[in-house]
Amino acid sequence: PPAEQCEKGSDLQTVRYILRHNQRLRNESIRYWSNIPFITMPLSRAHGKSFAHRSELKHAKRIVVKLGSAVVTRGDECGLALGRLASIVEQVSMLQNQGREMMIVTSGAVAFGKQRLRHEILLSQSVRQALHSGQSQLKDMAIPVLEARACAAAGQSGLMALYEAMFTQYSICAAQILVTNLDFHDEQKRRNLNGTLHELLRMNIVPIINTNDAVVPPPEPNSDLQGVNVISVKDNDSLAARLAVEMKTDLLIVLSDVEGLFDSPPGSDDAKLIDIFYPGDQQSVTFGTKSRVGMGGMEAKVKAALWALQGGTSVVIANGTHPKISGHVITDIVEGKKVGTFFSEVKPAGPTVEQQGEMSRAGGRTLAALQPEQRAEIIYRLADLLTDQREEILLANKKDLEEAENKGRLALPLLKRLSLSTSKLNSLAIGLRQIAASSQDSVGRIIRRTRIAKDLELEQVTVPIGVLLVIFESRPDCLPQVSALAIASGNGLLLKGGKEAAYSNQILHHLTQEALSIHGVKDAVQLVNTREEVEDLCRLDKLIDLIIPRGSSQLVRNIQKAAKGIPVMGHSEGICHVYVDTDASVEKVTRIIRDSKCEYPAACNALETLLIHRDLLRTPLFDQIIDMLRVEQVKIHAGPKFASYLTFSPSEVKSLRTEYGDLECCIEVVDSVQEAVEHIHKYGSSHTDVIITENEKTAEFFLQHVDSACVFWNASTRFSDGYRFGLGAEVGISTSRIHARGPVGIEGLLTTKWLLRGDNHVVSDFSEHGSMKYLHESLPLPQRNTN
């Protein structure tokens, strides 16, 4: 349940609720864990060097989770955030049951004890007041300031009992260890502590470690870090770091009440979350005040993290209080997702993806400010480079193909998409020149002019969307196409290609930047080569304005699911239909069906379902269709109605909503053009649908009633393509019901802004007793350059 629900009402009732809730979770979790292998990756590694990248965190075997006071305690600092704590225990239990060795360094004893002591004091005062006054008046009862050591003494047993009760629901045993600074400085005590922890881990027990606040002396100022090899246990941050290094831990997760480390105090106007922090970057950070509770602030956390990092333990500082992420923050970190701030000793050679996003935005704005002729010149130059550097491009592509074939990780249709050829490069160059020629007045074009009032004129003009993120698989030819469209529309561009096309993408991006350099806008197009997962890129809503996926339907669905606050333009499936009407031409039917299905069956605009009018069954035309498909080795799946007409039918289709992407298709029977339209609306993907008929009235009904991005009459589905439409190229095909639908060219990458030019105009002049009146007159538009 949400933490805020668990923080209300009596703690006893809440604990009982938590336990019942977690019992249900346990039942579900056990079933889940039993269906997957516990260890799906090697978890043992030689300690001594921290992980260099987030993606390696999934290999962490021994993990310390540090829970800050702000995470464990309630907002009123009196009592525990039980719902949040239950969620953390659930995540730790899940990782423990995967075969990892989990340890928890926890705060909360003081807060728990404070709650108990306040309750006892109130009860005691109310009894005394009732004895003296004869009535229980609880007004004006002052609660004395409670000493922290007393609170810790009263709270430690209750805190541990709560942890034990929660872990028991997952069949996990927990053990409490209280330590002080002396336990680390006394060699014998340190060996004893180390041996105890190792023995607990060997027995699959989760140690719960806390500073013994009941006896610990007051902290000395600035004594938490005293040199390279010594760390004083001043608070739980330094305790967690010391413990992590002592136990040769792979990963230390520090949970606090902020998202991670910012370059300036969180909440300030220019504060930016630091994704990866490197030793030596302290000078670039301005620290604020410490958290509302606890003894350590962010500066203490960073010092402790750097000390642990130097000792060979990787560190992540993240938010453990946010209700939307606290339920999976620990598991997300271990899975390598971009959560919080990751501390690494290995600095990447190039810029981070955040830096690339900022460079792309700045470069895009400069690009948009160029003259149309200058943008066209860049695209013409890129087209020339594709042909001039043909041999280098094909050599790089050959490396990609050889690696893919040797590893056997790509199916034949994907290998075909990966392959480049001289003819493909020539076609690319032709398409780019078309884009350059058609883009002269794309940006800054006036599409509406209105005279609001005398000397007050309004214009609506086209402008770039901003920064585009295009993610593509096995399609290196996509890179120059999309780059040219982004250049023509004045957009910044981030490109994330598949690793199977790494060599091809690298040289094509180099040529793109070479072309951009002729007008000093090299940074406008960036190729993301870091280890960022696609899901992490989709969270960069402050850097990216539109995501365009180019790849499998599974890729598109994953991106649509992962995108957080960023619109996604594309289509998840290409289930294209061809309907053969009773008035269809015999000569046209087989040609159009063959081209739609067999010319390139892996394409998203290939035929997947063939709808036949019932009256055409058992006719020569129907026989010709079947014979042609057999000759082309197309596997036929029968729809339910089609199968009912046959004594011996092909295999019945499992689903009428299937994109085969191969030499396979479904055949189904319909009774009329109206039924064909209904079938398409029910099972189609709004991509491309075709009617073959000589009846103009029937064709027009089909064209007007089918609600797809592309609807054709007597033409192959394969014409649904930006190049064939004369757009030069396409950034993708959109089936979304937004401004851009079908093959998306330059126009689909533009939005608009309003320009109002006045002369000392104010709204109050247009009031009932004002001196001015609205005119709202439409004004003529400037003539477009159509050359």
Side-chain angles (χ1 to χ4, degrees):
E4 57 270 18
Q5 290 182 16
C6 293
E7 292 165 13
K8 296 176 182 177
S10 80
D11 281 338
L12 184 59
Q13 291 175 330
T14 308
V15 170
R16 287 171 178 165
Y17 178 84
I18 290 289
L19 297 182
R20 289 197 302 271
H21 173 70
N22 280 347
Q23 181 62 50
R24 294 194 299 271
L25 290 176
R26 174 175 174 259
N27 295 337
E28 296 171 5
S29 300
I30 289 173
R31 288 197 297 271
Y32 171 73
W33 291 330
S34 65
N35 289 334
I36 61 172
F38 280 163
I39 308 299
T40 57
M41 74 290 287
L43 288 180
S44 58
R45 72 182 188 100
H47 188 81
K49 194 170 183 181
S50 60
F51 294 119
H53 306 282
R54 284 183 185 270
S55 58
E56 298 172 351
L57 295 181
K58 60 179 176 286
H59 299 297
K61 166 73 172 177
R62 185 171 291 171
I63 301 171
V64 170
V65 178
K66 185 265 176 180
L67 306 179
S69 299
V71 176
V72 177
T73 60
R74 298 194 319 220
D76 60 3
E77 303 176 21
C78 185
L80 302 180
L82 296 174
R84 202 153 52 221
L85 207 56
S87 175
I88 289 168
V89 167
E90 180 186 357
Q91 295 173 75
V92 170
S93 300
M94 178 179 177
L95 295 172
Q96 180 82 3
N97 282 318
Q98 287 178 352
R100 304 178 200 269
E101 296 175 346
M102 304 298 297
M103 291 179 277
I104 294 178
V105 175
T106 183
S107 303
V110 173
F112 201 13
K114 184 178 180 182
Q115 182 187 35
R116 293 180 65 184
L117 292 181
R118 285 184 66 176
H119 180 76
E120 291 298 325
I121 291 169
L122 284 172
L123 184 61
S124 175
Q125 287 182 346
S126 66
V127 170
R128 284 200 304 270
Q129 193 173 49
L131 291 174
H132 288 293
S133 63
Q135 56 182 344
S136 181
Q137 296 177 346
L138 301 182
K139 298 178 186 178
D140 305 323
M141 285 198 304
I143 298 176
V145 176
L146 298 172
E147 208 274 330
R149 292 190 188 89
C151 292
Q156 281 170 352
S157 59
L159 178 64
M160 191 58 207
L162 183 62
Y163 273 117
E164 277 194 348
M166 288 182 172
F167 273 111
T168 300
Q169 307 309 305
Y170 302 96
S171 301
I172 292 175
C173 181
Q176 182 184 31
I177 297 181
L178 297 175
V179 298
T180 65
N181 200 25
L182 295 175
D183 295 321
F184 289 98
H185 288 286
D186 184 289
E187 186 64 29
Q188 184 61 47
K189 288 184 177 180
R190 194 159 62 90
R191 281 201 299 267
N192 291 344
L193 175 63
N194 193 292
T196 300
L197 288 171
H198 275 94
E199 183 65 13
L200 291 174
L201 293 176
R202 187 186 67 81
M203 294 188 292
N204 200 35
I205 295 173
V206 175
I208 311 290
I209 305 111
N210 193 3
T211 52
N212 192 353
D213 293 325
V215 299
V216 71
E220 299 175 19
N222 303 318
S223 65
D224 54 340
L225 291 171
Q226 303 288 344
V228 175
N229 297 317
V230 179
I231 182 169
S232 173
V233 179
K234 168 187 172 182
D235 52 39
N236 278 337
D237 295 318
S238 49
L239 168 60
R242 182 68 188 254
L243 184 73
V245 174
E246 286 285 337
M247 294 298 295
K248 295 182 169 58
T249 300
D250 300 317
L251 174 61
L252 168 61
I253 299 174
V254 179
L255 296 184
S256 182
D257 56 352
V258 291
E259 279 70 20
L261 178 60
F262 288 78
D263 57 1
S264 57
S268 58
D269 291 340
D270 298 326
K272 292 181 181 177
L273 179 65
I274 299 173
D275 174 41
I276 305 177
F277 189 82
Y278 305 99
D281 285 354
Q282 295 96 313
Q283 293 78 12
S284 63
V285 178
T286 303
F287 293 101
T289 57
K290 71 182 187 68
S291 64
R292 60 176 173 82
V293 288
M295 300 187 61
M298 184 54 72
E299 188 172 8
K301 289 174 175 55
V302 171
K303 287 180 179 178
L306 291 174
W307 193 88
L309 187 68
Q310 192 176 32
T313 296
S314 296
V315 183
V316 175
I317 297 178
N319 192 335
T321 63
H322 197 291
K324 289 187 177 179
I325 63 173
S326 60
H328 47 82
V329 60
I330 299 173
T331 51
D332 280 355
I333 289 170
V334 176
E335 288 171 11
K337 294 181 180 179
K338 186 173 283 192
V339 178
T341 299
F342 172 61
F343 286 71
S344 175
E345 294 183 298
V346 181
K347 262 197 171 180
T352 65
V353 68
E354 288 82 4
Q355 291 170 333
Q356 285 186 297
E358 292 171 356
M359 292 161 63
S360 179
R361 187 173 296 283
R365 285 170 177 161
T366 306
L367 182 66
L370 295 177
Q371 295 298 315
E373 296 79 11
Q374 292 175 305
R375 289 192 293 270
E377 189 179 349
I378 294 171
I379 301 171
Y380 280 125
R381 176 61 180 150
L382 178 56
D384 292 339
L385 288 171
L386 290 178
T387 53
D388 295 345
Q389 305 294 324
R390 180 187 305 113
E391 292 184 5
E392 289 84 351
I393 296 171
L394 294 179
L395 185 62
N397 185 244
K398 184 180 178 183
K399 286 184 182 179
D400 287 325
L401 288 169
E402 287 175 351
E403 283 197 8
E405 288 172 353
N406 291 337
K407 293 179 180 178
R409 64 187 183 194
L410 288 183
L412 189 60
L414 292 179
L415 277 174
K416 189 175 179 181
R417 287 186 178 186
L418 177 60
S419 174
L420 293 175
S421 63
T422 300
S423 61
K424 266 191 179 182
L425 292 176
N426 289 337
S427 296
L428 273 174
I430 293 170
L432 263 57
R433 293 187 179 100
Q434 285 182 352
I435 293 172
S438 63
S439 66
Q440 293 294 320
D441 63 345
S442 298
V443 180
R445 176 167 53 87
I446 302 172
I447 61 175
R448 179 181 299 176
R449 292 181 67 216
T450 304
R451 179 176 288 118
I452 303 297
K454 186 177 184 297
D455 297 327
L456 185 64
E457 292 189 4
L458 179 69
E459 289 181 351
Q460 186 181 16
V461 299
T462 58
V463 294
I465 287 175
V467 175
L468 314 175
L469 169 62
V470 178
I471 303 168
F472 55 100
E473 295 176 321
S474 307
R475 289 283 299 273
D477 54 327
C478 176
L479 194 152
Q481 285 180 336
V482 172
S483 297
L485 288 167
I487 294 166
S489 57
N491 284 289
L493 178 62
L494 289 175
L495 293 157
K496 177 67 173 175
K499 57 186 176 182
E500 66 279 352
Y503 294 112
S504 305
N505 290 337
Q506 189 173 1
I507 189 169
L508 290 170
H509 178 249
H510 174 74
L511 296 177
T512 302
Q513 290 202 313
E514 183 178 332
L516 286 162
S517 297
I518 64 176
H519 287 297
V521 286
K522 177 182 176 182
D523 291 341
V525 177
Q526 299 283 327
L527 180 64
V528 179
N529 286 318
T530 59
R531 296 191 177 205
E532 259 76 18
E533 298 292 334
V534 168
E535 185 175 343
D536 293 327
L537 290 173
C538 292
R539 292 196 181 108
L540 301 177
D541 57 320
K542 291 181 174 62
L543 297 174
I544 297 165
D545 300 299
L546 179 66
I547 301 175
I548 305 173
R550 295 283 302 271
S552 66
S553 57
Q554 187 60 49
L555 171 75
V556 178
R557 282 194 293 268
N558 290 344
I559 291 172
Q560 289 172 335
K561 183 179 179 180
K564 305 295 182 185
I566 309 174
V568 178
M569 182 165 66
H571 66 281
S572 59
E573 293 174 309
I575 304 173
C576 303
H577 295 77
V578 172
Y579 166 58
V580 183
D581 187 52
T582 51
D583 297 321
S585 164
V586 176
E587 292 75 20
K588 295 175 184 176
V589 168
T590 53
R591 274 174 50 83
I592 292 173
I593 293 174
R594 180 188 289 110
D595 189 79
S596 296
K597 179 72 253 184
C598 308
E599 198 266 342
Y600 189 8
C604 65
N605 57 7
L607 162 68
E608 303 294 3
T609 298
L610 179 62
L611 300 176
I612 306 281
H613 195 286
R614 182 186 59 184
D615 294 346
L616 294 177
L617 293 178
R618 300 185 180 88
T619 65
L621 174 57
F622 177 77
D623 293 339
Q624 287 182 32
I625 295 171
I626 298 300
D627 290 343
M628 181 273 295
L629 292 174
R630 284 175 177 165
V631 169
E632 297 291 340
Q633 298 183 327
V634 177
K635 183 178 180 180
I636 298 173
H637 301 275
K641 286 187 68 176
F642 180 47
S644 67
Y645 286 99
L646 304 173
T647 306
F648 300 101
S649 70
S651 61
E652 189 166 337
V653 68
K654 294 180 180 178
S655 171
L656 290 168
R657 196 178 284 111
T658 302
E659 182 180 13
Y660 298 100
D662 206 344
L663 286 173
E664 298 180 62
C665 76
C666 169
I667 296 180
E668 183 57 309
V669 174
V670 293
D671 293 338
S672 64
V673 65
Q674 177 66 44
E675 189 177 334
V677 171
E678 291 171 358
H679 179 101
I680 290 168
H681 288 167
K682 186 174 182 179
Y683 299 108
S685 61
S686 301
H687 193 296
T688 302
D689 299 292
V690 172
I691 183 172
I692 306 176
T693 185
E694 297 302 303
N695 187 314
E696 184 175 353
K697 184 178 179 181
T698 303
E700 284 301 323
F701 178 89
F702 186 89
L703 293 173
Q704 298 302 321
H705 285 80
V706 171
D707 186 18
S708 295
C710 300
V711 189
F712 302 159
W713 174 20
N714 287 346
S716 168
T717 59
R718 296 279 291 121
F719 279 105
S720 180
D721 176 83
Y723 175 75
R724 297 181 181 111
F725 276 15
L727 305 178
E730 66 185 31
V731 74
I733 292 183
S734 171
T735 57
S736 304
R737 284 162 176 80
I738 56 175
H739 72 290
R741 204 165 178 225
V744 179
I746 299 171
E747 297 292 329
L749 301 181
L750 297 171
T751 184
T752 63
K753 70 177 180 181
W754 298 88
L755 305 177
L756 184 63
R757 295 180 175 90
D759 183 15
N760 196 29
H761 288 82
V762 292
V763 170
S764 58
D765 288 341
F766 295 85
S767 63
E768 184 178 352
H769 302 292
S771 59
M772 301 196 73
K773 301 293 182 185
Y774 288 111
L775 300 176
H776 293 151
E777 296 176 356
S778 294
L779 299 175
L781 300 177
Q783 189 172 357
R784 290 189 66 179
N785 178 12
T786 56
N787 294 329

